[in-house]
Amino acid sequence: MTRFRGALLRKSGLPRPYAQSRPLEIAALELPAPGAGEVLVRIRAASLCRSDLSVVTGARPWPLPMVIGHEAAGSVERVGANVTTVAPGDAVVLVYLPQCGACARCAAGQPWLCETGVAANRKGELLTGGTRLVHRGEQVHHHMGLAAFAEYALVAEASAIRIPKDVPPQDACVFGCAVLCGAGTALNTAVVGASQSVVVIGLGAVGLSALLGAKAAGATRIAALDRLEAKFALARTLGATETALPEAAPRGAFDHAIECSGTLEGFELAMALAHRGGKVTTLGLPGPDAAYPLKLAPLVADGLTVQGSYLGSCVTRRDVPRFIELYRAGQFPAASLVSHRIGLEDLNEALDRLAEGRALRQVIEFAS
Ligand SMILES: [Zn+2]
Ligand SMILES: [Zn+2]
């Protein structure tokens, strides 16, 4: 039995400011020893993502109580039977969709849509079945198979991807969601090509990662759009060749429009920015009921491609090491995506900063 502290959500929909309503309680938790196919990970760093906020607001329903957090890095403490890809002492990045390798989508070469992994995540359970977290004798759910805002996490082997030990965990953690989703969308879903033009809408950590992915792909024109001009300097540092407010961006001008703002307006804008024959790729998640009226005549006559991107169409075992290599080559400066470094007990205040758009990634650093 491992005893430790973690961020427990009992009730969603509490009012802001969260610094006062305190939806996340730092609670005493327990985990059993890892079973077959499971790995006990000591979390070294974890970061806060907008999807965490949607659990707290209740915009998307999740089984509660739950320990939240789905973007983290750590070291392997113990492994259960039949675990072959990681061993105690290994450094790992945790990924929020365990890819089972056996379902129809995995077999078809689309493990980013793994049906078994998604089903387990929706139930707040592990890929290996059921929950393991316990708080005062009560079963607690795992957010995205990870429950990473805690000192320890018990995860399915497929949730933990080994990385080189010399990568600092406070840099590695953002690879689990922001970089996979952003860079993966540019490289895997949109398949940006050398010398192409790309516009990225929304300059949060995921949008900036999409920008880095477009640059790594060899795009020569990269426009970065946001409502906040304060975000432009960093975007230029990371490789944007132009920055603009949404209304000022040239229409019908880009091979690729990548929507990362998570708003309907952002998607509408993306549709207007791609040129005829261009590709619109969206990874933004507005509310579950957000709908867009698609005009079919221009879709056909302009030969547009419109597609969604989940997990950046990443094969996690292939792409985490691939993106970490780009990081080591200086092409993915992960620290640039981080605006705040906090402790576990600062999470409610961090949720306020996130909700108010005052933060990029906020990294929880755990004492070693
Ligand atoms: Zn995320
Ligand atoms: Zn699968």
Side-chain angles (χ1 to χ4, degrees):
M1 188 71 73
T2 304
R3 292 188 168 82
F4 57 98
R5 300 180 314 141
L8 182 67
L9 179 72
R10 294 188 161 282
K11 189 170 185 294
S12 60
L14 291 183
R16 278 162 59 188
Y18 298 125
Q20 280 167 27
S21 62
R22 306 204 79 73
L24 295 177
E25 169 198 349
I26 304 309
L29 300 164
E30 293 175 358
L31 278 169
E38 295 173 350
V39 179
L40 180 68
V41 176
R42 179 156 181 199
I43 304 294
R44 303 287 180 181
S47 34
L48 197 56
C49 164
R50 194 151 274 279
S51 308
D52 299 315
L53 190 60
S54 73
V55 183
V56 172
T57 62
R60 310 178 75 203
W62 289 91
L64 300 177
M66 173 179 269
V67 168
I68 72 162
H70 67 280
E71 192 178 80
S75 54
V76 174
E77 194 87 359
R78 291 180 68 180
V79 300
N82 309 326
V83 169
T84 57
T85 60
V86 293
D90 280 350
V92 289
V93 162
L94 299 184
V95 294
Y96 69 81
L97 178 69
Q99 300 179 337
C100 79
C103 71
R105 295 274 52 84
C106 282
Q110 297 177 308
W112 54 91
L113 300 175
C114 175
E115 291 157 359
T116 321
V118 166
N121 280 0
R122 286 194 179 139
K123 288 192 282 185
E125 297 182 352
L126 299 185
L127 186 67
T128 43
T131 60
R132 303 290 183 278
L133 279 166
V134 175
H135 170 63
R136 291 189 189 144
E138 177 189 17
Q139 290 290 319
V140 172
H141 295 89
H142 303 242
H143 186 205
M144 305 295 242
L146 301 179
F149 293 163
E151 291 160 337
Y152 288 87
L154 185 72
V155 304
E157 182 180 10
S159 299
I161 311 294
R162 188 172 57 181
I163 60 165
K165 284 182 189 167
D166 62 353
V167 180
Q170 62 271 27
D171 284 354
C173 60
V174 299
F175 283 78
C177 174
V179 175
L180 282 182
C181 292
T185 292
L187 289 160
N188 297 334
T189 318
V191 197
V192 171
S195 307
Q196 285 198 306
S197 56
V198 180
V199 58
V200 175
I201 301 159
L203 302 178
V206 174
L208 292 172
S209 296
L211 190 162
L212 289 168
K215 191 177 170 211
T220 43
R221 181 183 182 191
I222 305 175
L225 310 189
D226 201 281
R227 299 209 161 281
L228 297 175
E229 287 174 285
K231 296 185 172 179
F232 292 168
L234 177 58
R236 283 187 180 270
T237 304
L238 295 180
T241 56
E242 57 198 274
T243 48
L245 294 168
E247 55 273 21
R251 291 343 195 222
F254 297 92
D255 297 320
H256 292 275
I258 300 180
E259 149 51 19
C260 306
S261 75
T263 64
L264 264 179
E265 300 74 45
F267 183 75
E268 195 168 20
L269 180 63
M271 294 292 284
L273 295 174
H275 60 54
R276 299 186 69 215
K279 264 191 201 176
V280 174
T281 307
T282 181
L283 58 77
L285 278 174
D289 298 325
Y292 173 82
L294 187 61
K295 290 189 182 125
L296 297 182
L299 178 74
V300 172
D302 292 343
L304 281 180
T305 300
V306 183
Q307 59 183 343
S309 176
Y310 191 68
L311 192 62
S313 308
C314 283
V315 180
T316 52
R317 281 199 197 293
R318 176 196 70 194
D319 289 317
V320 169
R322 174 183 170 210
F323 295 158
I324 289 284
E325 275 315 303
L326 288 169
Y327 160 86
R328 278 149 70 97
Q331 292 189 53
F332 275 49
S336 302
L337 307 180
V338 177
S339 60
H340 296 75
R341 301 194 182 275
I342 62 173
L344 197 54
E345 59 286 347
D346 305 320
L347 266 172
N348 288 304
E349 288 76 8
L351 285 172
D352 283 324
R353 280 192 291 271
L354 181 61
E356 291 158 15
R358 292 189 284 123
L360 283 173
R361 279 303 193 253
Q362 305 181 76
V363 173
I364 305 162
E365 297 185 322
F366 293 84
S368 50

